[in-house]
Amino acid sequence: MIENEKNKIIYKENLLPKAMLFVGNQGLGQPEFAEKMVKVLSSEGYFKYKDLLQIHGATIGTVRNTYNLMESLELNEKAVFVEEADRIANDSTIAEFYNYINTNENAVVIFSVSPENEIRFLNRIKALKTKIAYTLRFEDYTEDELYNVFQNKLADMDIFIEEDAAEEVRKLIKKAKIEESFENIAYIEKLIQRIIIKQSMIKPEN
């Protein structure tokens, strides 16, 4: 096992990296990381495909739709990142991914799930699970890290908040982090949008 400060990687030496699993809540940059990883590993000669197609598990419907997707990936020489893979519609679709990885030596498939859906997803994919060479875990940002992101994003818009308001923001972040499927940076962006909208509705004093 290889570990660093933010992420944990589990590598099975006897497997080629044709299928990977990313585990983490939303807003941690999984798609961006996947895109950069594919480009780097392609430039180093580990992958043939250097481009990445990003799709959402909920959009993969019928088996025929999945078969067409696999043909397109091979034809256009693209790896694929499946966000919220636990929302893939049916088991036959998962079987198509297994067949694609088995029959295409250049296939690269990255599945991404939230921590609370990891076990359910792994129990569901059965044979496909044996093809997963890497599991990469993305840890949530800390409260301080999220507040720093909040401050930086406001500063970029020339917006500054008073100390009492800052304390309220910290309380909101702390409360939100307890929830399942916490959205991290996406939560901060939504919070800023709510603040801007709320402030815009305040009538100026005469």
Side-chain angles (χ1 to χ4, degrees), residues 20-164:
M20 287 164 268
L21 180 66
F22 285 8
V23 180
N25 286 318
Q26 293 184 19
L28 293 170
Q30 292 94 319
E32 294 82 3
F33 182 88
E35 187 171 17
K36 291 178 182 178
M37 180 190 70
V38 168
K39 287 186 181 299
V40 169
L41 292 180
S42 173
S43 68
E44 294 292 328
Y46 292 102
F47 293 165
K48 178 182 178 182
Y49 302 161
K50 63 180 181 179
D51 295 320
L52 184 74
L53 174 68
Q54 298 180 25
I55 58 176
H56 194 282
T59 66
I60 306 173
T62 64
V63 174
R64 182 61 190 171
N65 174 272
T66 310
Y67 180 77
N68 290 339
L69 168 65
M70 304 310 172
E71 281 194 328
S72 175
L73 291 173
E74 191 168 358
L75 180 65
N76 295 296
E77 297 191 346
K78 288 188 176 183
V80 61
F81 176 86
V82 186
E83 188 172 4
E84 292 193 55
D86 54 286
R87 296 184 63 185
I88 292 174
N90 55 65
D91 294 341
S92 297
T93 299
I94 292 172
E96 282 299 320
F97 273 106
Y98 178 82
N99 291 335
Y100 172 66
I101 292 169
N102 249 1
T103 58
N104 182 355
E105 63 179 6
N106 298 308
V108 177
V109 180
I110 304 167
F111 298 104
S112 182
V113 298
S114 61
E116 65 267 24
N117 290 322
E118 177 187 4
I119 294 176
R120 182 168 63 88
F121 177 68
L122 290 174
N123 287 339
R124 185 182 170 202
I125 62 176
K126 298 175 183 177
L128 180 55
K129 181 168 60 176
T130 65
K131 299 295 181 181
I132 294 176
Y134 292 95
T135 297
L136 176 58
R137 300 187 181 280
F138 292 75
E139 295 184 5
D140 284 340
Y141 286 93
T142 65
E143 292 172 27
D144 286 340
E145 288 172 333
L146 288 166
Y147 183 73
N148 288 337
V149 170
F150 174 81
Q151 279 189 314
N152 292 336
K153 286 183 176 292
L154 286 186
D156 289 342
M157 296 183 284
D158 293 324
I159 299 174
F160 301 91
I161 62 174
E162 297 179 355
E163 189 172 333
D164 58 340

